[in-house]
Amino acid sequence: MRGLWLIDGAGMIARSERKIEPADWQHSLREAYTRPLELLDALQLDPAAVGLSASAAAQFAFRVPRPYAALMQPGDPQDPLLRQVLPVTAEDRRAPGELLDPVGDLAAERAPGLLHKYHGRALLLMSGACAIHCRYCFRRNYPYGDSVGIERLNAALDTVAADASISEIILSGGDPLILRDERLAPVLARLAAMPQLRRLRIHTRLPVSIPARITPALVRLLGESRLEPVMVLHANHAREIGPALHAALLPLRHAGVTLLNQAVLLRGVNDDVDAQQTLATALHGAGVLPYYLHLLDRAAGTAHFAVSLRRARFIMKALRKTLPGYLVPRLVREVAGQPYKTPQA
Ligand SMILES: *Cc1c(COP(=O)(O)O)cnc(C)c1O
Ligand code: SF4
């Protein structure tokens, strides 16, 4: 494998040690790390020193694509990217108030896989699968299968087609971009044919974990759609926005896709002012505006990631003082039964 060129800390062109991944994103998907020991070995970390838990990994499988792992700092057990994906003993503890469906999604289901919680927007679960498994995720306990049958999808689309109040469709999951472009194309075509729809939004973490997922075909699908395309990425730390993601997002920007980011406030990952500032500026550097900063949903086994509301508000205040207003994300929490994501600061 060849190395990569980038600008180093002194502003010079330098050769990076990092490997270039094959452009084929499905190869990256298949070749993901699925054994924690293999990743720890690549990072030169001692499994005994990181609190690895086999039972946590049995509850919610370990999965980390190599392009994402390549952004981690070898030798650092506290690496903010590693912490997001490593199954640790803290997950085995149960905290009071943890719920299997903390955001009330099951109650908002209009048809199997179609959530209609908020005015004018419906969310379609395109797949239960993800390229990367994030330990803090509330969907870790959500009872859906990995694949979505064509019958279920058509029934959900029929429900959307029959509802004149829906102007925006949100493709979510799991991760909707785990589906190949050839599978997405007919869904997008059906949606574009529904006259009441104006916007098409995709919620995805796939470009962050495998930047090559943004293929020329996907750019064309979004750029040429009648619907106004919006992509909401999910990056929690500035280091997740590497040169490969930066380059991959450029054609989406040129195709007129509105790029936003949602992050989760996570203890030990991004719960300080500096981490949030550098995330916001790195996002803007890649043409992405910070949208939401979520307080953690109280899913079982995630209590060690929780950040207090008091600390979250302290961080938000500091961000407002130092960043332009358009780079300050909205701090929100999802409260079951509320008509919008509830502002917290
Ligand atoms: C978050 C969410 C939306 C979108 O909410 P916005 O505030 O428009 O970003 C829509 N439907 C569901 C079910 C959601 O969870
Ligand atoms: S739904 Fe998003 S946050 Fe949850 S595991 Fe998948 S990629 Fe990670």
Side-chain angles (χ1 to χ4, degrees), residues 60 129-134 136-139 144 173-175 205 234:
F60 182 49
C130 293
I132 185 168
H133 285 182
C134 316
Y136 53 83
C137 183
F138 74 90
R139 298 201 195 275
Y144 45 38
D175 201 310
R205 186 151 160 79
H234 175 178

Side-chain angles (χ1 to χ4, degrees), residues 51-52 56 58 61 84 90-91 93 96 128 151 180 194 224 249 297 300 303 336:
L52 195 63
Q84 293 179 55
E91 288 180 40
R93 290 196 290 272
E151 293 82 11
R180 295 165 188 246
M194 299 178 194
E224 292 171 4
L249 292 175
D297 297 310

